[in-house]
Amino acid sequence: MREPTIQGDPNRGEPSGRKGRDEPSRPVDAVEEKLRPQRLSEVVGQRSVAERLAIALAACKKRNEPLPHILFDGPPGLGKTTFATVLHNELGVELNMTSGPALDKKLDVMPYLTNAAEGSILFIDEIHRLPIAVEEFIYPVMEDFRVDMVLGEGMSARTINLPLKRFTIIGATTRSGMLSSPLRDRFHMHEHLEFYDADELARIVIVNAAKLKTTIAEDAAWELAQRSRGTPRLANARLRWVRDFATARSDGHVSLAIARDALDMQEIDAEGMDKQDRRYLDTLIKVFNGGPTGAEAISATMNVAVDTLTDEVEPYLLRKHFIVRTPRGRKATPLAYRHLNYPEPLPDPDFSIGNQRRLFDV
Ligand code: ADP
């Protein structure tokens, strides 16, 4: 099994919302890599995605062709990089990893294209952040495995076509809506990753506890799963914290009581929300009277990057119906008020029956 090569962007894996072009980023985490499934059979959940990928793998193996270009989208930590790693292992081909922000110019992407081996995989994380010039440069790569280069200037300028080996581009994005349609259309498979249910996360926790040589009670694994916001990366992070807590406070075994104490100490509540999630709801309710208001206004008040809110905080709150998105912005639902123990707001007068009668004159 070949090790993937990570070039250009040593910080891959950082959720896109936290990483701006000039922001310092986190190095690749060795423990996280150790926990990553390596084979399709090890992947938990996302059954229909895994089944479609198994078909694509079988077909390309039989025809001895590279995999089709694949686009994965979904919130951070749900398995986009994991699927790319698994595909590379299943095929036994080279995997090169980079990200949209690292490919600033055509020259940055050139080495990945010219060095790509036949059938290999190029993984581009945060592909929605590719500059348009680079994006257009890779269209002929994705269609015909060639790059078009203009040599010279003015009257003497000419275009040369450089043929490339046939390889696969796997794109990952947390914002599929930001992808231009010409780029989106060049991917033959589009796979959307969904949040995991508690059952699936509990299975991931149990498997990963064994990889970390930690014993964990089944009810403790379930507790972690329920408090991980449907996200395997968070389940891993919670497991690592709970494991440290168990080692420091007792004999290293993770019982239900230990798991609860450890998560409470991190201020992770029964819904799996952390301080930042609750601060978001608190700001929306207390400062903006429950909304509707725009993400930019909440971001400015909280002093948190708007990308962090839209990529990391909001998807789960939307999924759990703590907030809704309206044409006028985000709005807290009665569930959010109840969760924070605030009195529920009176029904919106604009939508009361009496008012509707008046509005529509019925
Ligand atoms: P993304 O690329 O979507 O941000 P990753 O693929 O890096 O997310 O996933 C983060 C971690 O979560 C991985 O290292 C892996 O341990 C775990 N993980 C993700 N998806 C799965 C899955 N389907 N089954 C088991 N573990 C998973």
Side-chain angles (χ1 to χ4, degrees):
M1 214 178 280
R2 271 186 239 178
E3 285 297 307
T5 337
I6 303 165
Q7 298 166 6
D9 175 21
N11 312 304
R12 182 198 48 75
E14 178 76 357
S16 60
R18 291 229 168 102
K19 186 172 56 182
R21 246 162 235 264
D22 306 318
E23 292 167 33
S25 308
R26 189 178 63 185
V28 172
D29 180 334
V31 179
E32 189 69 46
E33 289 307 310
K34 183 171 155 186
L35 301 182
R36 202 186 284 293
Q38 298 297 320
R39 292 288 181 175
L40 210 47
S41 56
E42 293 169 39
V43 166
V44 175
Q46 310 287 352
R47 271 350 292 167
S48 50
V49 176
E51 276 168 26
R52 283 190 291 272
L53 293 176
I55 297 279
L57 276 171
C60 81
K61 276 187 194 160
K62 270 195 184 165
R63 288 200 297 258
N64 204 16
E65 281 178 0
L67 268 181
H69 303 306
I70 308 173
L71 179 68
F72 289 107
D73 86 86
L78 296 194
K80 300 178 290 296
T81 315
T82 299
F83 273 113
T85 312
V86 159
L87 292 171
H88 124 88
N89 286 327
E90 293 289 344
L91 288 172
V93 295
E94 205 176 275
L95 172 64
N96 290 303
M97 295 179 137
T98 183
S99 76
L103 304 175
D104 222 7
K105 305 177 289 297
K106 291 179 200 174
L107 272 184
D108 295 329
V109 75
M110 217 33 199
Y112 290 103
L113 308 180
T114 51
N115 295 334
E118 183 78 23
S120 64
I121 295 174
L122 172 60
F123 177 72
I124 308 180
D125 203 4
E126 299 186 64
I127 195 162
H128 58 274
R129 293 173 70 179
L130 273 185
I132 185 74
V134 177
E135 189 185 307
E136 286 172 356
F137 186 64
I138 65 170
Y139 291 163
V141 177
M142 296 180 78
E143 275 168 3
D144 302 321
F145 301 106
R146 57 155 230 273
V147 282
D148 300 332
M149 286 192 311
V150 182
L151 295 183
E153 280 176 21
M155 295 290 283
S156 61
R158 63 200 169 92
T159 306
I160 61 160
N161 309 128
L162 187 68
L164 303 169
K165 303 261 173 52
R166 294 178 315 157
F167 68 102
T168 302
I169 294 187
I170 297 186
T173 179
T174 46
R175 304 271 192 95
S176 65
M178 272 176 71
L179 234 61
S180 72
S181 48
L183 180 59
R184 202 191 342 247
D185 292 348
R186 281 169 175 83
F187 285 99
H188 306 124
M189 291 179 75
H190 296 184
E191 296 298 348
H192 175 71
L193 301 188
E194 281 293 338
F195 285 108
Y196 293 65
D197 61 35
D199 205 28
E200 292 164 342
L201 288 182
R203 267 153 57 208
I204 293 177
V205 167
I206 288 169
V207 169
N208 289 348
K211 285 188 189 169
L212 295 173
K213 301 194 176 15
T214 299
T215 57
I216 183 164
E218 213 168 293
D219 49 8
W222 185 254
E223 184 75 13
L224 256 69
Q226 280 180 313
R227 291 162 76 166
S228 294
R229 298 169 94 258
T231 307
R233 182 181 287 136
L234 288 185
N236 288 345
R238 313 267 197 258
L239 172 64
R240 287 167 68 181
W241 162 248
V242 165
R243 173 179 176 249
D244 286 350
F245 189 94
T247 307
R249 288 277 171 95
S250 80
D251 58 359
H253 172 72
V254 181
S255 62
L256 178 60
I258 287 277
R260 282 190 175 149
D261 286 352
L263 295 174
D264 289 347
M265 193 175 190
Q266 270 200 334
E267 298 181 42
I268 293 160
D269 65 28
E271 288 284 349
M273 290 197 215
D274 60 19
K275 270 191 285 188
Q276 177 150 282
D277 300 316
R278 285 191 299 273
R279 224 184 117 216
Y280 176 98
L281 291 180
D282 199 63
T283 307
L284 183 56
I285 292 174
K286 281 221 240 129
V287 181
F288 296 99
N289 212 10
T293 190
E296 285 77 13
I298 305 173
S299 135
T301 309
M302 288 177 71
N303 199 17
V304 172
V306 70
D307 280 1
T308 305
L309 299 186
T310 52
D311 286 3
E312 294 177 36
V313 177
E314 289 184 342
Y316 189 71
L317 298 180
L318 283 163
R319 152 89 194 262
K320 297 295 275 186
H321 302 150
F322 284 108
I323 56 170
V324 286
R325 284 172 80 158
T326 73
R328 289 189 292 151
R330 281 72 171 152
K331 201 169 175 344
T333 66
L335 269 183
Y337 285 80
R338 251 174 269 155
H339 189 69
L340 296 189
N341 286 325
Y342 290 144
E344 281 179 44
L346 295 172
D348 192 334
D350 284 348
F351 290 95
S352 68
I353 301 284
N355 213 4
Q356 279 184 34
R357 287 221 173 90
R358 254 176 283 127
L359 283 174
F360 300 110
D361 207 16
V362 285

